[in-house]
Amino acid sequence: MLESIGTLLHGDPVDAVEVKRLRDLILFEEPDLKKSLVKFFCLLILSAGIATYGLLSDSVAAVIGAMIIAPLMMPIMGLAFGISIGDSHAMKNSLLVSVGGILAAIIVGFLLTFPVASFVHPLSIDQIMIRTSPKLLDLLAALVTGLAGAFAMSRKDVSDTLPGVAIAISLVPPLANTGILLATSNFSLAMGSFLLFLTNYFAILLTGAALYGIMGFPKVAFNTQSFRARRKGISIALILILLIAVPLAYTSYQTLIDNNLKENVYEDSNTWLNGTGYTVVSVNTALFNDTVVVAVVGNGNLPPIEQLDQLLKGKLYGRTLRVEVVNSTIYNLHG
């Protein structure tokens, strides 16, 4: 049953020729190793540069452009393929290339930002801030993208969808974002951005390796490899499951806390302002570390702030509440 599903997904039964074709496509091996590495790092550095300036200028178009030319998906898919067939050499090469690419992207973001760090205010740039707090939906998107990447690369007739796959998953922008935030001394935000990348990275590895396995690549490759290779592939797949469980648990917990926090603050703030000329316009948990900002707009006298403090007692998960009051003047015009 599983074999027939794999053949259906791949289009044809996987054979030794198809395994070789995929190796040549996604692995960094001789005789073209040097040429492949030069192409990879040139594209990666250019992509990281575009991403950095796109993030700093809050340009969605530039960030998308960086995603399209970013080659980082290739060694990740190569590592997923190596894991699925238990090939130590393929795993080692792909891992080294991907780690080198990760470091290069962070360094480019740091070096391009450092000279202008005093003029950069990350908290006011949306494209930077949205990449500092990974959510459960980001992980789910990465899992599906890993399937899409493995599917597109394993079939010759759908390889033209790879640019769309590159856009669907954010790989280089979070790394460039990490470099930007390190250059501006926002270390906790930099860790959040790097966690977003790691979540994407492990999700792609897991689902990519799983789909290659379903398609039948391990069965063909294992015919020429030892039981030790099979055991190694299975062991690494289990380790990946554990690694992906960590960011999944973290992001799920943070999302749950964030949603509960916003709901508590919104409801109790409205209760506190009931009967006054003020209303809650926003509750933000991402602007400042460990601080929740509630903005209220209106006019007249505010109730004692101690009332809000009592309402929210034990509901802020150890965070500080900051109330920003904007006094407004209302004009009624009659034509």
PDB file of all heavy atoms in Angstrom, residues 54-58 120-130:
ATOM      1  N   GLY A  54      16.243  44.792   2.580  1.00  0.00           N
ATOM      2  CA  GLY A  54      14.786  44.741   2.512  1.00  0.00           C
ATOM      3  C   GLY A  54      14.147  44.832   3.884  1.00  0.00           C
ATOM      4  O   GLY A  54      13.153  45.521   4.085  1.00  0.00           O
ATOM      5  N   LEU A  55      14.748  44.139   4.851  1.00  0.00           N
ATOM      6  CA  LEU A  55      14.248  44.181   6.228  1.00  0.00           C
ATOM      7  C   LEU A  55      14.444  45.566   6.833  1.00  0.00           C
ATOM      8  O   LEU A  55      13.540  46.106   7.478  1.00  0.00           O
ATOM      9  CB  LEU A  55      14.955  43.134   7.074  1.00  0.00           C
ATOM     10  CG  LEU A  55      14.627  41.669   6.756  1.00  0.00           C
ATOM     11  CD1 LEU A  55      15.636  40.730   7.381  1.00  0.00           C
ATOM     12  CD2 LEU A  55      13.214  41.320   7.210  1.00  0.00           C
ATOM     13  N   LEU A  56      15.619  46.150   6.622  1.00  0.00           N
ATOM     14  CA  LEU A  56      15.908  47.470   7.195  1.00  0.00           C
ATOM     15  C   LEU A  56      14.994  48.546   6.616  1.00  0.00           C
ATOM     16  O   LEU A  56      14.623  49.497   7.313  1.00  0.00           O
ATOM     17  CB  LEU A  56      17.372  47.846   6.952  1.00  0.00           C
ATOM     18  CG  LEU A  56      18.420  47.048   7.737  1.00  0.00           C
ATOM     19  CD1 LEU A  56      19.819  47.398   7.283  1.00  0.00           C
ATOM     20  CD2 LEU A  56      18.264  47.280   9.239  1.00  0.00           C
ATOM     21  N   SER A  57      14.646  48.386   5.336  1.00  0.00           N
ATOM     22  CA  SER A  57      13.774  49.384   4.690  1.00  0.00           C
ATOM     23  C   SER A  57      12.303  49.017   4.787  1.00  0.00           C
ATOM     24  O   SER A  57      11.444  49.713   4.234  1.00  0.00           O
ATOM     25  CB  SER A  57      14.166  49.540   3.218  1.00  0.00           C
ATOM     26  OG  SER A  57      13.996  48.310   2.517  1.00  0.00           O
ATOM     27  N   ASP A  58      12.008  47.897   5.474  1.00  0.00           N
ATOM     28  CA  ASP A  58      10.627  47.435   5.657  1.00  0.00           C
ATOM     29  C   ASP A  58       9.950  47.171   4.320  1.00  0.00           C
ATOM     30  O   ASP A  58       8.768  47.452   4.137  1.00  0.00           O
ATOM     31  CB  ASP A  58       9.828  48.459   6.463  1.00  0.00           C
ATOM     32  CG  ASP A  58       8.700  47.814   7.272  1.00  0.00           C
ATOM     33  OD1 ASP A  58       8.695  46.575   7.382  1.00  0.00           O
ATOM     34  OD2 ASP A  58       7.828  48.541   7.780  1.00  0.00           O
ATOM     35  N   VAL A 120      19.252  52.474  13.284  1.00  0.00           N
ATOM     36  CA  VAL A 120      18.248  51.428  13.085  1.00  0.00           C
ATOM     37  C   VAL A 120      17.469  51.202  14.374  1.00  0.00           C
ATOM     38  O   VAL A 120      18.057  51.000  15.437  1.00  0.00           O
ATOM     39  CB  VAL A 120      18.912  50.105  12.639  1.00  0.00           C
ATOM     40  CG1 VAL A 120      17.863  48.998  12.524  1.00  0.00           C
ATOM     41  CG2 VAL A 120      19.631  50.292  11.314  1.00  0.00           C
ATOM     42  N   HIS A 121      16.145  51.215  14.276  1.00  0.00           N
ATOM     43  CA  HIS A 121      15.262  50.984  15.425  1.00  0.00           C
ATOM     44  C   HIS A 121      14.355  49.793  15.101  1.00  0.00           C
ATOM     45  O   HIS A 121      13.244  49.967  14.584  1.00  0.00           O
ATOM     46  CB  HIS A 121      14.449  52.234  15.736  1.00  0.00           C
ATOM     47  CG  HIS A 121      15.293  53.454  15.957  1.00  0.00           C
ATOM     48  ND1 HIS A 121      16.037  53.632  17.098  1.00  0.00           N
ATOM     49  CD2 HIS A 121      15.537  54.540  15.160  1.00  0.00           C
ATOM     50  CE1 HIS A 121      16.698  54.785  17.010  1.00  0.00           C
ATOM     51  NE2 HIS A 121      16.415  55.348  15.859  1.00  0.00           N
ATOM     52  N   PRO A 122      14.828  48.570  15.366  1.00  0.00           N
ATOM     53  CA  PRO A 122      14.097  47.364  14.966  1.00  0.00           C
ATOM     54  C   PRO A 122      12.654  47.311  15.460  1.00  0.00           C
ATOM     55  O   PRO A 122      11.777  46.771  14.777  1.00  0.00           O
ATOM     56  CB  PRO A 122      14.925  46.230  15.579  1.00  0.00           C
ATOM     57  CG  PRO A 122      16.289  46.796  15.714  1.00  0.00           C
ATOM     58  CD  PRO A 122      16.085  48.238  16.043  1.00  0.00           C
ATOM     59  N   LEU A 123      12.384  47.847  16.652  1.00  0.00           N
ATOM     60  CA  LEU A 123      11.035  47.760  17.220  1.00  0.00           C
ATOM     61  C   LEU A 123       9.998  48.484  16.376  1.00  0.00           C
ATOM     62  O   LEU A 123       8.801  48.214  16.494  1.00  0.00           O
ATOM     63  CB  LEU A 123      11.029  48.316  18.641  1.00  0.00           C
ATOM     64  CG  LEU A 123      11.879  47.556  19.670  1.00  0.00           C
ATOM     65  CD1 LEU A 123      11.800  48.235  21.023  1.00  0.00           C
ATOM     66  CD2 LEU A 123      11.447  46.105  19.782  1.00  0.00           C
ATOM     67  N   SER A 124      10.448  49.398  15.531  1.00  0.00           N
ATOM     68  CA  SER A 124       9.511  50.160  14.703  1.00  0.00           C
ATOM     69  C   SER A 124       9.427  49.635  13.276  1.00  0.00           C
ATOM     70  O   SER A 124       8.744  50.232  12.445  1.00  0.00           O
ATOM     71  CB  SER A 124       9.926  51.641  14.677  1.00  0.00           C
ATOM     72  OG  SER A 124      11.195  51.785  14.055  1.00  0.00           O
ATOM     73  N   ILE A 125      10.109  48.523  12.970  1.00  0.00           N
ATOM     74  CA  ILE A 125      10.120  47.972  11.616  1.00  0.00           C
ATOM     75  C   ILE A 125       9.349  46.655  11.604  1.00  0.00           C
ATOM     76  O   ILE A 125       9.781  45.651  12.188  1.00  0.00           O
ATOM     77  CB  ILE A 125      11.570  47.749  11.123  1.00  0.00           C
ATOM     78  CG1 ILE A 125      12.349  49.070  11.169  1.00  0.00           C
ATOM     79  CG2 ILE A 125      11.562  47.194   9.699  1.00  0.00           C
ATOM     80  CD1 ILE A 125      13.816  48.921  10.805  1.00  0.00           C
ATOM     81  N   ASP A 126       8.216  46.655  10.937  1.00  0.00           N
ATOM     82  CA  ASP A 126       7.333  45.485  10.953  1.00  0.00           C
ATOM     83  C   ASP A 126       8.001  44.230  10.403  1.00  0.00           C
ATOM     84  O   ASP A 126       7.849  43.139  10.971  1.00  0.00           O
ATOM     85  CB  ASP A 126       6.067  45.778  10.137  1.00  0.00           C
ATOM     86  CG  ASP A 126       5.141  46.756  10.841  1.00  0.00           C
ATOM     87  OD1 ASP A 126       5.294  46.928  12.067  1.00  0.00           O
ATOM     88  OD2 ASP A 126       4.279  47.356  10.163  1.00  0.00           O
ATOM     89  N   GLN A 127       8.723  44.353   9.273  1.00  0.00           N
ATOM     90  CA  GLN A 127       9.333  43.191   8.647  1.00  0.00           C
ATOM     91  C   GLN A 127      10.386  42.537   9.543  1.00  0.00           C
ATOM     92  O   GLN A 127      10.658  41.344   9.410  1.00  0.00           O
ATOM     93  CB  GLN A 127       9.963  43.584   7.301  1.00  0.00           C
ATOM     94  CG  GLN A 127       8.960  43.823   6.200  1.00  0.00           C
ATOM     95  CD  GLN A 127       8.131  42.588   5.891  1.00  0.00           C
ATOM     96  OE1 GLN A 127       8.656  41.502   5.655  1.00  0.00           O
ATOM     97  NE2 GLN A 127       6.816  42.741   5.897  1.00  0.00           N
ATOM     98  N   ILE A 128      10.974  43.298  10.429  1.00  0.00           N
ATOM     99  CA  ILE A 128      11.922  42.732  11.390  1.00  0.00           C
ATOM    100  C   ILE A 128      11.184  42.078  12.553  1.00  0.00           C
ATOM    101  O   ILE A 128      11.476  40.945  12.943  1.00  0.00           O
ATOM    102  CB  ILE A 128      12.894  43.821  11.900  1.00  0.00           C
ATOM    103  CG1 ILE A 128      13.851  44.238  10.791  1.00  0.00           C
ATOM    104  CG2 ILE A 128      13.671  43.328  13.122  1.00  0.00           C
ATOM    105  CD1 ILE A 128      14.840  45.326  11.185  1.00  0.00           C
ATOM    106  N   MET A 129      10.198  42.770  13.093  1.00  0.00           N
ATOM    107  CA  MET A 129       9.525  42.285  14.295  1.00  0.00           C
ATOM    108  C   MET A 129       8.701  41.019  14.058  1.00  0.00           C
ATOM    109  O   MET A 129       8.598  40.164  14.942  1.00  0.00           O
ATOM    110  CB  MET A 129       8.640  43.389  14.873  1.00  0.00           C
ATOM    111  CG  MET A 129       9.413  44.577  15.425  1.00  0.00           C
ATOM    112  SD  MET A 129      10.669  44.106  16.647  1.00  0.00           S
ATOM    113  CE  MET A 129       9.641  43.407  17.934  1.00  0.00           C
ATOM    114  N   ILE A 130       8.110  40.881  12.862  1.00  0.00           N
ATOM    115  CA  ILE A 130       7.283  39.691  12.617  1.00  0.00           C
ATOM    116  C   ILE A 130       8.129  38.422  12.526  1.00  0.00           C
ATOM    117  O   ILE A 130       7.585  37.315  12.535  1.00  0.00           O
ATOM    118  CB  ILE A 130       6.428  39.837  11.341  1.00  0.00           C
ATOM    119  CG1 ILE A 130       7.323  39.990  10.110  1.00  0.00           C
ATOM    120  CG2 ILE A 130       5.455  40.981  11.473  1.00  0.00           C
ATOM    121  CD1 ILE A 130       6.548  40.036   8.806  1.00  0.00           C
TER     122      ILE A 130
END
